[in-house]
Every structure is written in structure tokens, then in C-alpha cells.
Amino acid sequence: MFWNREVETMPQEILKELQLQRLKEVVKRAYERVPFYRKKFEEVGLKPQDIKTLEDIKYIPFTSKAELREVYPFGIFAVPLSEIVEIHSSSGTTGKPVVAGYTKGDLELWGEVMARCLTMIEITKEDIVQIAYGYGLFTGGLGFHYGALKIGATIVPASAGNTRRQIELMRDFGTTFLACTPSYALYLAEYAKEEIGIEPSLLKLKAGSFGAEMWTEEMRKEIEKRFGLKAYNVYGLTEIIGPGVAHECTEQAGLHVWEDHFYIEIVDPETGEVLPEGTRGELVITTLTREGMPMLRFRTRDITSIIKGECPCGRTVRRIDRIRGRTDDMIKVRGVMLFPYQIEQAILEVQGVEPHYQIVITRPQYLDEIEVQVEVSKETFSDEIKVLENLRKKLEKRIEQTTGIRVKVTLVEPKSIPRSEGKAKRVIDKRKLTD
Amino acid sequence: MKIKQISVFLENKKGRLFEALKAIAEKNINIRALSIADTSEFGILRMIVDNPEEAKNALEEAGFTTKISNVVAIGVKDKPGGLAEVLEHLFKADINVEYVYAFVEKSGEQAVVVLRTNHLDKTIDLLKVHGIKLLSWEDILAL
């Protein structure tokens, strides 16, 4: 089902024309109205009229989260505050928060893209939509709210928390759609069964949108099994608009990006060079139509790739892969990008159990060496050297297949890898890199 | 006639063997036989103790990975060729020895050999046929 079939299935060539026209407009607006952008343009000697093709976007300087913090609170707004009708803000746990301002038009846009997301997974006005994302400064709750409002669904604005109440509402109202973080979804399922004695699969839920944190395909299967629903990935961020930047269709094979409003690029996190389709790198987003807060080449720090080829659902807007990591977690060894989750995945495949591991990088002379220390668990331990040596070799082989990098695997005793509040420190970089 | 053996994963690091042995000593568990197999990075400590289950708990509490597995223990005449004779039977029956360790009893009359093969049941049958003395758990405790 389509909310806006014309745009969602627009041929790429026409879409590109539309993007170029909108890009020129947003660049001009940002340059003229936001001193922050004008200064950045002047620093590199760029004028809005220099942007003649979509490829020219590469000349525009990136915008980072750190820069946005510097102009806290309203330094990125492109309209007078009187035109801003709603403000959201990130939590600011890692520094000053980032503030997002929306005009009436921006809220209209937000509702439009979220309506497309919901319609795409067959949510209609007949559905009872329970929104268990936080309402308030966080964009999650109200983003879904505006979309559900637009399609005319029955909204249950439960907001986050109050788990018992959430489950009672689902049962009593016959909720058919749930939006929350994936970890909260799993908690809800467990709570329903253990604390209230409600079998979650007997609830009327048929679909759910989960996001705002990283999750895996295994978690998707688990959520789907426990609730008997279809679980979808949703992507968005405060700096761009909130949820609704991208969402999976019923194929569950990547997230369609609403490219008529958001221009996406994948860049090398280190060099900033634009990477081709299919290559994994950092997602960079430019808002094409935001009025209150135009965002030019925002570095999301999220790692993904643009999926090649057309989606069987008929939409022509391109898809991105599920978020695979954060650039903060990235390690570059022997010139290759490496993410801890790749190694984790490889170990999991060999052992069949959740691994405890640590990656130690050294540079004894000129070449990086990677040691992956894997804890020997009850499940993998054997009283025969042969078996353990085989395990070690299998791990080395699988990791090389997954990452393309040869590593040395060392088996270590349990708990020899330090654990800090559930989040283990995965990477120890002992290279003395001064550059 | 299978005997329970406890094995422990050890990193090749100073003090690990001591820590493991301390953990079971504190529970008053007595070691009957012991061997260590090692590579350059890790080792496997294998022991026959008088209370394997309790040893396992004590070691796991101390943070070690352990495993209890079955082995056979045999009494071999303490004279030249004693063990070779046993192994010849296994070799002829195409049984593979995974590991073996031995110690001489206090009386000095017999050597006790701990064996792990790829076919433990077949090994037991074969040794019985050839009249080789298999030690029971009681025999082990009496050592």
C-alpha cells in the first residue's frame, strides 16, 4: 500500500531532477539566512550558485554534531523564532543538547513521511496504534503521532514506561500496532508473560516499528516470535526530523529513504570521500525541504550502505541497510575498516553462543596485528587440545572470511576480559598512532 | 568402569595453575592423578579427584571453565613393556588414544594409567577380553 504512490514510485531520473531543484533552493536559503552556513561556505570559497549538479554537493562542507552544539540553542534556525511552532531536543547526555525547530510546514512534512512509513507496512485508519516511544522533547513519540494522525488511525499515546499499563492497554483496546525501542518490545513481552500472565502472542498486534537504538536480525526474529507480529526497522534522528527518514517495507529488506525530502550519501568516515552504492560507510544526510532547520551534509555517524537494485515492493526510492554500527566504534587496520560487530557475528556463527571477546591491536613494527581474545565457555571447552586448536583455527578462518583481515585468535579464561556495566570494552588499541 | 575426570582450561599465565589447585585444596578435595597438556598459549589441566562434582563447583566459583568427562583407569604391571602391551591391543583394534597419563602406586607393584580414547566403550570391552585390570571408582578412592 502507498500513501503517496506518485512520489514513492517516481522514476529515479525524475526524482534526481526534483532533488537537484530542491538542493539548490535549500543551499541558497541556508546560505542567505543562517550565518553558521554562510561562514562555512566562505571558508571554502563556495557560493550557492556553484552547485549545478547533484554531484556538486561534495563541495559543501559537512555539518557535525559538535558544530551544532556550538551554535546551541537556535543558531542553525533559518526562520525567525515566531515561525517555529515546535521544538525538540536531544538528551544532551554527551554534551550540550542539539535543538531541532519545526515550522508548521515541517510538521506537515513530518506527518507526511511518517504516514508513508505506516501505510507502507499496511497500517490504516482501521488500526489501533500504540505509541510507546517517549512523548516530549524526544522526537520518537510525537513523530509517530503525527504520522498516525495523518492516516486517521486510532492513536493510543501511551508514551514510554509504565509497563503493566502498556500491556493492559494492548489487551483491553486490542492494539494492532506498536512503536517503541526493540529492547523495550522484548521487555514488554517478558513482562506480559512473567508478571501479568498474558501470553504476548495472543494480543492482537500485527506489526511494530522499532528503532532509536541498534538491534539485530536475531532480535527481530525474537520479537516477531514472541508477539506474533511483523517487526520493522525505522530510522530517524533529531537533527534531520526525527523518526520517518527511512522505514522498511513489507519485504523487510532494507529501509526506504524518502529521497524527495532527504538526500543521502555514504562517505568514508575517515577521508569524507563519497563511496559508491553497496559500499559500507557513514550515512550523510541533507534535508531538501526542511524550513526551520535546513541541514546540509549532516554526518550521522551511523554506518550503513545504500542497497543496490530495485525493491520488489515497487518503490523506486532507494533503500539503506539496517544500521550496522557507529563510526565511533570503527577501527581502521591495515587500511581496512573494521567493526567489532563483524567479529562478534563471526564468533557467534562458529560457537553458537554469545561470545565474550576483546580485540587487541598492536603494531610491533610497521604492520598492524590484530589479536582476538575469545573466552572459552562451558559450551566450547574440551578436555582435548585438538578440539580447542580446531576451534581456534575455525574462528580465525571465519573472522577472515567476514572481515577480510587475517587475525590471530587466542583462547582465554572466562572473565579475563573486563566487563564494565554490561558494556564490555571491545577494542584495545595499543598502536602508538601520532598522525 | 568409566572414571570421572575433571579438566580445567588454563591460560599460560603465571599463577593460574596455583589458583586452580588452591581452589580445590580449600574444599579439602584430594587429587589422585594429574596431568597438564599445553600449547604455547593455553593448557588443559586434567585431574582425577576424590570428589569431581565438588571440585567442579569450587573451580567454577573461582572463575575457571571446567568439564567432567569419562576416562578409563587401568592397573598395569610395573615392569618394562607393561603399558606397551596395553597399547598394542588398542592399536590392533584401530582405537585411537586421545591422551594418556600414568603414575606409580605407593606400593610400587602396579602403575595406574588413565586413558582417553575415541571409542571408550569398545576400549573397555577390549581390555576386559585381554584380562587387563580396570580400576573402579572404589579402587581409585582407595589409592
Side-chain angles (χ1 to χ4, degrees), chain A residues 376-378 381-386 388-389 392 408-416, chain B residues 5 7-11 16 37 39 41-42 44 46 60 63 65-67 69 98-99:
Chain A
V376 170
S377 65
K378 265 186 197 173
F381 179 50
S382 161
D383 56 330
E384 288 176 42
I385 294 271
K386 187 172 70 184
L388 291 180
E389 270 300 314
R392 213 179 58 74
K408 174 184 159 61
V409 168
T410 312
L411 300 177
V412 298
E413 287 172 21
K415 314 250 162 54
S416 49
Chain B
Q5 169 196 263
S7 35
V8 188
F9 181 82
L10 293 180
E11 270 176 59
R16 295 315 289 159
T39 70
E41 275 137 22
F42 64 87
I44 300 169
R46 305 180 183 120
E60 281 175 3
T65 304
T66 66
K67 182 182 176 138
S69 41
E98 307 285 4
Y99 54 79

Side-chain angles (χ1 to χ4, degrees), chain A residues 116-127:
Chain A
R116 291 186 199 172
C117 294
L118 293 170
T119 308
M120 180 158 64
I121 55 167
E122 286 161 2
I123 300 303
T124 67
K125 69 188 294 290
E126 307 299 326
D127 280 288

Side-chain angles (χ1 to χ4, degrees), chain B:
Chain B
M1 283 308 204
K2 287 175 195 164
I3 303 292
K4 281 192 163 47
Q5 169 196 263
I6 181 156
S7 35
V8 188
F9 181 82
L10 293 180
E11 270 176 59
N12 272 4
K13 270 196 318 209
K14 201 163 72 183
R16 295 315 289 159
L17 177 60
F18 165 67
E19 290 292 336
L21 296 180
K22 196 177 83 173
I24 56 172
E26 277 167 2
K27 298 280 166 170
N28 244 333
I29 296 163
N30 208 351
I31 300 167
R32 296 292 171 187
L34 170 155
S35 94
I36 292 179
D38 66 328
T39 70
S40 59
E41 275 137 22
F42 64 87
I44 300 169
L45 166 66
R46 305 180 183 120
M47 294 179 289
I48 308 289
V49 298
D50 56 8
N51 193 337
E53 291 300 334
E54 207 180 307
K56 186 177 164 69
N57 291 339
L59 285 161
E60 281 175 3
E61 240 168 69
F64 289 96
T65 304
T66 66
K67 182 182 176 138
I68 289 183
S69 41
N70 287 323
V71 292
V72 291
I74 52 178
V76 178
K77 274 170 270 169
D78 186 17
K79 62 161 192 160
L83 179 58
E85 186 195 323
V86 176
L87 294 182
E88 191 182 3
H89 295 311
L90 297 179
F91 170 65
K92 283 184 177 157
D94 205 25
I95 292 172
N96 211 354
V97 175
E98 307 285 4
Y99 54 79
V100 58
Y101 52 103
F103 55 99
V104 179
E105 222 191 316
K106 271 175 277 185
S107 65
E109 280 168 15
Q110 71 169 0
V112 175
V113 176
V114 177
L115 257 182
R116 165 89 194 171
T117 66
N118 58 346
H119 292 293
L120 216 50
D121 289 320
K122 204 171 147 192
T123 304
I124 292 171
D125 293 342
L126 188 78
L127 294 177
K128 274 184 187 162
V129 169
H130 289 92
I132 290 158
K133 186 180 169 194
L134 286 156
L135 302 186
S136 67
W137 186 238
E138 286 71 33
D139 294 333
I140 293 289
L141 291 181
L143 284 177

Side-chain angles (χ1 to χ4, degrees), chain A residues 292-311:
Chain A
M293 199 173 91
M295 197 56 71
L296 302 184
R297 302 195 84 200
F298 180 70
R299 301 282 297 251
T300 65
R301 296 199 280 181
D302 289 319
I303 299 292
T304 181
S305 57
I306 297 173
I307 295 172
K308 279 186 186 172
E310 275 171 31
C311 184

Side-chain angles (χ1 to χ4, degrees), chain A residues 126-231:
Chain A
E126 307 299 326
D127 280 288
I128 299 166
V129 168
Q130 188 161 329
I131 300 166
Y133 279 117
Y135 275 65
L137 285 169
F138 174 56
T139 53
L142 281 164
F144 270 90
H145 191 96
Y146 295 141
L149 195 63
K150 200 149 196 121
I151 64 172
T154 307
I155 300 172
V156 184
S159 194
N162 208 343
T163 307
R164 175 174 290 270
R165 191 84 199 284
Q166 298 274 4
I167 294 153
E168 286 165 357
L169 292 173
M170 284 187 226
R171 179 194 60 195
D172 300 344
F173 295 176
T175 302
T176 57
F177 171 86
L178 173 68
C180 63
T181 61
S183 54
Y184 192 57
L186 282 174
Y187 181 66
L188 279 169
E190 199 177 291
Y191 194 95
K193 198 167 177 168
E194 306 291 327
E195 304 290 327
I196 316 185
I198 294 176
E199 173 49 48
S201 61
L202 296 179
L203 293 167
K204 293 212 176 89
L205 290 170
K206 63 175 195 188
S209 289
F210 307 104
E213 65 190 19
M214 263 213 296
W215 54 311
T216 60
E217 216 40 52
E218 283 73 35
M219 273 175 89
R220 165 162 24 216
K221 282 185 202 129
E222 198 57 38
I223 294 170
E224 293 193 330
K225 193 177 85 190
R226 294 205 190 172
F227 281 111
L229 53 66
K230 273 193 98 172

